[in-house]
Amino acid sequence: KGRTAPDVLSSRVRLTEPLVRRPGTGELAPATWEEALGTIAGALRGTRRQYGADAVGVFGGGGLTNEKAYALGKFARVALATSQIDYNGRFCMSSAAAAHQRAFGLDRGLPFPVEDIERSGCVILVGSNPAETMPPALRFFTRLRENGGKLIVVDPRRTRTADEADLHLSPRPGTDLALALGLLHLVVAEGRTDEAFIAERTTGWEEARAAAMAHWPEQVERITGVPVPQLRAAARMFCEAGSGMVLTARGPEQQSKGTDTVGAWINLCLATGRAGRPYSGYGCLTGQGNGQGGREHGQKADQLPGYRKIDDPAARKHVAEVWGIDPDSLPGPGRSAYELLDALGGGIKSLLVMGSNPVVSAPHAAHIESRLRSLDFLAVADVVLSETAALADVVLPVTQWAEETGTTTNLEGRVLLRKRALSAPEGVRSDLEVLHGLAAALGHAKGFPAEPAEVFEELRRASAGGAADYSGITYERIEAEDGVFWPCPADDHPGTPRLFLDRFATPDGRARFVAVSHRPAAEEPDAEYPLLLTTGRVASQYQSGAQTRRVDALNAAAPGPFVELHPRLAERLGVAEGDALAVTSRRGRAVAPARITGTIRADTVFMPFHWPGEGRANTLTNPALDPTSRMPEFKVCAVRVEPAH
């Protein structure tokens, strides 16, 4: 994907002029920027006047730079005065973020540099396939094993990453919580806990211990399908290493109990003293281009810049002072991503989308598509005419990675500077220029600069004193130091590559165990829907595929959707490789060719989610939400599979 990324810079595949839907024909047609921005501003103004500020929604993306994410959050709350803003990162790392906050008082994907992975004694990688989803990161796991460390991979499928592991555990989808609790039970039963660490640096152990002891190995085998000898081998491998890490990704997180599932893996780290120490700890592997930074500076429904909570009076006061507004004028928390999309056409009448394609990426996607179609007004800013943009009343062509300067924050909390390499085609503007123009049209001529450096300087001040403090980070420092780790609260502060070595970010400095217990997925198989569906990515496409599906080389490698199933299931269904399969859930039906492989469980089918149309995997997925993170349950739902007729 990296090698072919310049292909999307071509004017052949991208938008190069604004489009406005014409009343007479109902078709999108070229327009001037003045007409396009005026149409959007007029529609948003009219919606606010008729229905109130919260009838206007904003939906952002985890691929936006820090500057754009910050400006979008400010635009929603100042120029539109709406609380209804969230972003597609809610579908990505939100459960890990919530568990991180709950246990450690701070969320950063990795609390240590990514290079530490290769120096750890043992890494448990849960629900992640970096060999296909983030290939450059695979080298750290390869070096881990070359250095004598052990790799345990937890995944229902035997992926290319699992092939590299010392031990592969293949749990039934939706049972990662039981698996983590079963491992903690064995750690306790075999006397492998680090009692000194527990006493000195944690709270809540007795309750968490009692909850784990209710999940004995044979019971966990029945729930997960992972044999007891494998459970014992994993516990022994993890505890006998001198240091250890647990790294999770979307597998355990995209569940209606994702926060508790991640919490159980964190409990395993804490009980064994694998946290707040060198080459040890819990971490989350992010899934989008700016997955970490995108969630720090205000495009989440409950958040202000610097990872501040929007309902915290001190946070509101600080940010309002930077923005030059009355704190009381700031709206409160809004709806989370799926709840926002579900409210379209009802409480929310007009929507601005920037850097996201929910027609393909949202759960229960056919329903979300119908909600988008029911809006009074939809505006989309994107590089290409995505499936969501194709529904819009106004589409704005915007710059992409090589054509704009801005910062991103990677999974280890390192703030990086991406500098403009070439000019955008004529007729294309940056997202910051879009927000500048819209804000001016809405009566906010000041406060929304179009220059990234100017926005970043304001972001620094707005984040000062927050959990994600960027106030000591400058473009010059980033260049000179090859990135700066937050928190960095002063110009002379070195940054913080490793968190929690002395204390955790909780008020008392101790990490918090949380007592959790296994519970079923929101939707379990039954006679009508007897199988489980899990979803994911393939190496040659990315996210909703809006850009990668326009690259010939990537389409040649991964031309379309498929249904991966076990040979025994294929035999039972009477299907051969390449036959069209219909996969049906309570929400809809998808059709794609069969891909038969012994690397998946016989009770499970897998579909990648990059494609629209009849093979759209997210037509099937369950929008049941985690009660804490509001993450939908992408990774497990009940389905029926049969030959397509």
Side-chain angles (χ1 to χ4, degrees):
K1 291 188 287 282
R3 179 175 56 82
T4 60
D7 291 8
V8 190
L9 296 169
S10 167
S11 297
R12 180 179 61 86
V13 299
R14 66 183 299 179
L15 296 166
T16 56
E17 57 187 346
L19 303 174
V20 172
R21 196 170 298 279
R22 299 303 178 190
T25 64
E27 300 294 324
L28 287 169
T32 65
W33 271 97
E34 290 68 28
E35 180 190 3
L37 292 176
T39 301
I40 297 172
L44 299 184
R45 193 184 298 112
T47 298
R48 289 180 59 195
R49 185 167 54 245
Q50 184 173 357
Y51 300 106
D54 277 356
V56 177
V58 177
F59 199 80
L64 301 180
T65 63
N66 293 323
E67 290 83 355
K68 291 190 284 190
Y70 171 84
L72 188 63
K74 181 180 179 181
F75 175 80
R77 284 147 183 145
V78 176
L80 297 176
T82 182
S83 67
Q84 300 303 303
I85 175 172
D86 211 77
Y87 82 127
N88 62 19
R90 180 80 67 170
F91 298 157
C92 210
M93 289 81 58
S94 58
S95 291
H100 237 144
Q101 291 274 11
R102 194 165 68 178
F104 304 128
L106 181 68
D107 163 48
R108 199 177 82 184
L110 298 182
F112 40 73
V114 68
E115 291 90 347
D116 282 6
I117 291 172
E118 64 193 60
R119 301 174 69 180
S120 186
C122 180
V123 174
I124 303 179
L125 186 60
V126 189
S128 179
N129 181 19
E132 295 194 66
T133 60
M134 46 196 309
L138 187 65
R139 67 184 185 272
F140 299 111
F141 300 97
T142 302
R143 290 173 188 160
L144 164 76
R145 298 188 69 212
E146 290 172 350
N147 292 337
K150 301 294 185 181
L151 176 62
I152 301 170
V153 170
V154 178
D155 199 306
R157 304 162 63 223
R158 188 168 184 87
T159 62
R160 285 169 51 195
T161 305
D163 282 339
E164 301 294 317
D166 296 280
L167 178 62
H168 172 219
L169 307 181
S170 177
R172 184 174 178 267
T175 63
D176 307 88
L177 176 52
L179 179 63
L181 288 164
L183 292 177
L184 183 52
H185 177 113
L186 287 169
V187 166
V188 175
E190 295 174 4
R192 299 182 183 273
T193 56
D194 188 329
E195 295 298 328
F197 179 89
I198 291 169
E200 294 167 10
R201 301 201 60 188
T202 73
T203 62
W205 168 234
E206 289 305 318
E207 294 81 2
R209 178 184 180 277
M213 296 313 288
H215 298 76
W216 58 94
E218 292 75 16
Q219 179 199 35
V220 170
E221 178 180 316
R222 287 195 299 272
I223 293 170
T224 65
V226 177
V228 170
Q230 288 191 6
L231 295 173
R232 294 189 185 280
R236 182 174 63 252
M237 196 178 293
F238 188 62
C239 292
E240 290 181 354
S243 56
M245 298 175 179
V246 174
L247 305 177
T248 68
R250 308 300 80 75
E253 298 164 16
Q254 287 181 328
Q255 299 184 29
S256 60
K257 53 182 182 293
T259 303
D260 283 354
T261 301
V262 173
W265 289 104
I266 291 174
N267 285 351
L268 179 66
C269 290
L270 294 176
T272 55
R274 265 71 170 159
R277 287 175 169 171
Y279 315 122
S280 292
Y282 164 76
C284 162
L285 301 180
T286 53
Q288 295 196 66
N290 193 25
Q292 180 65 49
R295 67 184 189 257
E296 294 170 357
H297 297 298
Q299 61 174 333
K300 280 182 70 177
D302 56 351
Q303 199 182 88
L304 289 171
Y307 235 136
R308 289 179 160 92
K309 300 295 288 183
I310 199 167
D311 54 3
D312 175 4
R316 294 169 66 86
K317 181 176 184 295
H318 173 84
V319 173
E321 286 178 355
V322 174
W323 289 352
I325 62 173
D326 183 344
D328 292 338
S329 71
L330 281 171
R335 296 177 174 93
S336 71
Y338 181 80
E339 292 163 308
L340 187 157
L341 295 172
D342 189 42
L344 300 180
I348 298 174
K349 303 294 185 181
S350 294
L351 181 70
L352 171 64
V353 177
M354 191 166 276
S356 188
N357 187 20
V359 166
V360 179
S361 63
H364 200 183
H367 169 68
I368 295 306
E369 181 177 344
S370 73
R371 293 292 83 214
L372 285 159
R373 291 180 183 275
S374 73
L375 283 164
D376 291 354
F377 182 82
L378 173 63
V380 175
D382 210 332
V383 174
V384 298
L385 190 68
S386 70
E387 287 72 23
T388 303
L391 302 180
D393 298 285
V394 179
V395 183
L396 302 176
V398 292
T399 53
Q400 52 181 313
W401 59 280
E403 302 161 347
E404 57 186 18
T405 294
T407 60
T408 61
T409 306
N410 71 1
L411 76 169
E412 53 186 352
R414 188 197 304 252
V415 184
L416 305 167
L417 180 63
R418 188 178 66 199
K419 301 181 75 172
R420 188 176 75 173
L422 49 87
S423 297
E426 186 178 351
V428 174
R429 297 184 183 180
S430 73
D431 294 285
L432 291 179
E433 289 174 320
V434 168
L435 294 175
H436 172 81
L438 286 176
L442 291 167
H444 294 268
K446 295 183 178 180
F448 294 91
E451 285 300 317
E454 195 174 342
V455 177
F456 190 78
E457 285 303 303
E458 184 177 299
L459 182 158
R460 292 176 63 203
R461 292 188 287 118
S463 73
D469 191 332
Y470 282 33
S471 59
I473 303 175
T474 63
Y475 279 12
E476 293 73 24
R477 277 195 66 180
I478 296 171
E479 281 199 87
E481 300 172 27
D482 193 24
V484 182
F485 291 84
W486 70 258
C488 183
D491 292 345
D492 59 354
H493 190 281
T496 314
R498 293 176 180 84
L499 297 169
F500 313 142
L501 293 180
D502 300 314
R503 68 189 311 276
F504 295 98
T506 55
D508 61 4
R510 291 171 173 261
R512 305 185 192 97
F513 281 99
V514 178
V516 294
S517 296
H518 174 72
R519 58 186 186 272
E523 186 176 83
E524 291 286 341
D526 57 20
E528 188 176 1
Y529 302 98
L531 298 168
L532 291 166
L533 168 72
T534 193
T535 65
R537 299 190 284 182
V538 297
S540 294
Q541 298 290 348
Y542 185 67
Q543 304 298 64
S544 75
Q547 295 186 39
T548 53
R549 286 187 276 107
R550 287 166 169 79
V551 177
D552 292 340
L554 298 180
N555 286 331
F562 57 86
V563 182
E564 190 176 279
L565 71 164
H566 192 274
R568 290 203 300 272
L569 177 57
E571 183 180 7
R572 196 164 80 235
L573 295 172
V575 299
E577 180 79 13
D579 287 355
L581 280 182
V583 184
T584 307
S585 76
R586 289 178 174 85
R587 288 153 296 282
R589 181 176 186 264
V591 178
R595 182 174 292 183
I596 300 170
T597 173
T599 60
I600 191 170
R601 292 174 55 95
D603 59 1
T604 300
V605 295
F606 166 84
M607 290 186 71
F609 61 82
H610 310 291
W611 288 274
E614 70 170 5
R616 181 173 59 186
N618 277 321
T619 297
L620 308 168
T621 49
N622 190 354
L625 301 181
D626 180 287
T628 303
S629 68
R630 315 309 288 168
M631 166 75 84
E633 191 149 65
F634 286 97
K635 278 296 181 280
V636 52
C637 69
V639 296
R640 180 175 67 250
V641 181
E642 56 206 346
H645 299 296

